[in-house]
Amino acid sequence: MARIVQKYGGTSVADVERIRCVAARVKKCHDAGNDVVVVVSARSGVTNELIGKARYLNPAPNDREMDMLLAVGEQETIALTAMAIHAMGTPAVSRTGAQAGILTDPAHTRARIVSINADNIEAALRDRNVVIVAGFQGVNAEGQITTLGRGGSDLSAIAVASAVKADLCQIFTDVDGVYTADPRVVPDARKIPEVSYDEMLELASMGSKVMQARAVEFAKKFGVVFEVRSSFNENPGTIVKEEIASMEDVVVRGVAVDKNQVKVTVSNISDQPGTASRVFQALAEAEVNVDMIVQNVGRGGRANLTFTVPRDEAGRAKKAVETALATIGGGSVDVTNEVAKLSVVGVGMRTHSGVASTLFTSLAEKNVNIQLISTSEIKISVAIDLDRADEAVRAVHEAFGLGSGEGDRP
Ligand code: ADP
Ligand code: ASP
Ligand code: MG
């Protein structure tokens, strides 16, 4: 007998038939004698639909009310899943985030989990119930409902697995695991059997939607080993765990792309100590996530700064920089264009050279212009034209020999 946490994403619970399939899978696991905690997302499309309604009524909805609204999506799924399991003769109870003891900080729409009091879940498990927890939501110290950022049910599952000391945490989704690139964009992408926390974290942060980055961060911090696998078949998935030595043999584990970035250019600013600090301090205060920063060589005492920010933070970024510029001797700010950020990720980069050259050559061969570059120990990212992104990912994927057809080629 084991203790198992299973998370089912939006497409896996998209309608009543799929919820019934999930219920059958859960029942099978429970019948085998396991303690089973299930974390579910809202049905696919529901969260987006709720956001659409909110924005229709108010272009800048209040964050507390937004959380009140968005939590509804997951609440529908937990109740329906419990009912489907009951119909199969298995005891089950649903729990909202608050009822499951998920305490968060006060930051509405992007809350962080502070702690989980699992007493309630434990009691229900002792009575042999399947416990179904609403993903993506928690409660703050004032009793207000909070949500954990888009894709946050992944985080709920990892955190619950840690709190109940699960033997196994399974993230069920609509693909067979973590692939070398998004299989919907790169048809010959391969499933990766094992990936380290650090690689998964970079892939997720750089746009691979398959796992929420904050969930991976939490798993790494608390050592939660988890498996990403399909809810539509029995194929083994991808194990995400602490790095082992042999992982460094692979130079590039995968390619990620983020299509939600814009380039911001700050021109004609004074080229002296403290300028960048003021600009980025203002951006930090406005909670803008800045990446890929470049400052050109100053001329005549003036310089230009360019960086990327997520598209929906562009307005905030512009305002923050304008305010800062007014206090540091002028300059102007432009949100110039939408870009895609393409990244290659692998722990093997620490010990192998030539990654940048292969990346840049493969893009040059496709005549894709590189606008910005940034690197970390296990990642190289480039900003490129948004409309060339898919073509570029396929070219880079092939250049690093990541495709499944590789061995068969003449
Ligand atoms: P869920 O609703 O189960 O949380 P998501 O839609 O959030 O599922 O994530 C799964 C999707 O992530 C897949 O359908 C796939 O298109 C996309 N994806 C992006 N990059 C990758 C990758 N490297 N490996 C697997 N899937 C990826
Ligand atoms: N329903 C939420 C979202 O769409 C959380 C999740 O699915 O993980 O972002
Ligand atoms: Mg998801």
Side-chain angles (χ1 to χ4, degrees):
M1 192 203 94
R3 181 164 276 199
I4 300 175
V5 172
Q6 300 190 327
K7 178 254 169 175
Y8 292 91
T11 22
S12 305
V13 292
D15 54 37
V16 284
E17 284 315 321
R18 291 215 176 142
I19 290 177
R20 191 179 275 154
C21 292
V22 164
R25 205 180 259 269
V26 171
K27 176 183 163 53
K28 198 168 147 201
C29 186
H30 184 261
D31 284 351
N34 300 307
D35 279 350
V36 189
V37 181
V38 178
V39 175
V40 282
S41 291
R43 293 184 301 107
S44 70
V46 167
T47 307
N48 284 344
E49 199 185 315
L50 292 172
I51 293 172
K53 285 180 181 169
R55 297 231 167 104
Y56 177 78
L57 293 170
N58 186 332
N62 172 279
D63 283 348
R64 176 190 178 274
E65 302 308 332
M66 203 63 187
D67 279 351
M68 207 64 166
L69 177 70
L70 296 191
V72 170
E74 272 69 14
Q75 199 169 328
E76 176 194 33
T77 331
I78 50 170
L80 290 175
T81 307
M83 290 170 192
I85 295 174
H86 292 162
M88 295 170 183
T90 297
V93 284
S94 64
R95 295 281 184 261
T96 63
Q99 290 170 345
I102 302 176
L103 182 69
T104 74
D105 69 10
H108 281 293
T109 75
R110 51 181 183 279
R112 288 186 179 274
I113 295 179
V114 173
S115 64
I116 298 188
N117 178 345
D119 292 352
N120 188 302
I121 297 179
E122 293 286 355
L125 287 174
R126 270 197 299 278
D127 293 338
R128 278 301 285 150
N129 284 293
V130 172
V131 185
I132 302 149
V133 178
F136 179 54
Q137 56 174 265
V139 64
N140 68 23
E142 276 141 36
Q144 305 292 333
I145 296 174
T146 52
T147 62
L148 311 176
R150 296 308 303 269
S153 299
D154 293 334
L155 174 58
S156 308
I158 302 282
V160 166
S162 173
V164 303
K165 301 185 177 59
D167 301 299
L168 196 59
C169 178
Q170 300 174 310
I171 307 289
F172 286 96
T173 183
D174 57 2
V175 285
D176 280 10
V178 179
Y179 280 68
T180 47
D182 187 341
R184 293 181 208 287
V185 176
V186 183
D188 72 341
R190 264 181 309 125
K191 183 168 65 185
I192 308 169
E194 285 186 347
V195 59
S196 71
Y197 290 129
D198 287 339
E199 288 170 325
M200 189 68 244
L201 187 55
E202 289 282 20
L203 287 170
S205 312
M206 294 302 125
S208 295
K209 188 185 166 210
V210 63
M211 277 300 295
Q212 191 208 33
R214 287 166 72 177
V216 184
E217 211 173 8
F218 193 105
K220 176 179 157 73
K221 190 166 169 194
F222 294 98
V224 180
V225 175
F226 63 95
E227 182 187 21
V228 180
R229 56 184 296 168
S230 172
S231 66
F232 302 135
N233 60 46
E234 299 294 332
N235 298 340
T238 299
I239 305 289
V240 187
K241 61 179 197 182
E242 201 52 74
E243 185 180 332
I244 50 170
S246 64
M247 286 179 176
E248 282 208 351
D249 297 346
V250 175
V251 185
V252 169
R253 185 82 54 198
V255 187
V257 68
D258 180 347
K259 296 181 180 172
N260 287 306
Q261 296 279 314
V262 290
K263 206 162 82 177
V264 180
T265 303
V266 191
S267 316
N268 205 24
I269 47 173
S270 105
D271 187 18
Q272 61 183 34
T275 304
S277 139
R278 295 285 279 280
V279 169
F280 289 104
Q281 198 181 341
L283 289 162
E285 279 162 15
E287 293 186 49
V288 176
N289 285 298
V290 179
D291 194 19
M292 306 190 89
I293 307 163
V294 176
Q295 176 164 354
N296 72 341
V297 180
R299 233 188 239 160
R302 312 301 285 180
N304 295 343
L305 257 178
T306 304
F307 52 85
T308 59
V309 300
R311 188 185 294 126
D312 59 2
E313 295 176 17
R316 233 163 57 222
K318 188 162 190 274
K319 222 160 127 191
V321 176
E322 275 166 354
T323 315
L325 291 181
T327 68
I328 48 172
S332 62
V333 56
D334 250 325
V335 177
T336 44
N337 60 336
E338 297 192 321
V339 289
K341 186 166 61 182
L342 182 154
S343 309
V344 291
V345 173
V347 289
M349 279 182 214
R350 292 193 204 113
T351 46
H352 293 76
S353 57
V355 180
S357 122
T358 306
L359 171 64
F360 300 161
T361 305
S362 64
L363 292 170
E365 278 167 6
K366 290 283 171 191
N367 210 18
V368 173
N369 191 36
I370 298 170
Q371 302 178 25
L372 295 166
I373 301 167
S374 74
T375 62
S376 80
E377 202 189 11
I378 64 161
K379 176 204 78 183
I380 304 178
S381 300
V382 292
I384 57 173
D385 264 1
L386 185 59
D387 59 8
R388 305 294 305 280
D390 288 353
E391 188 191 345
V393 175
R394 287 191 281 268
V396 170
H397 191 263
E398 187 173 345
F400 284 100
L402 296 173
S404 49
E406 208 58 23
D408 304 324
R409 284 194 200 141

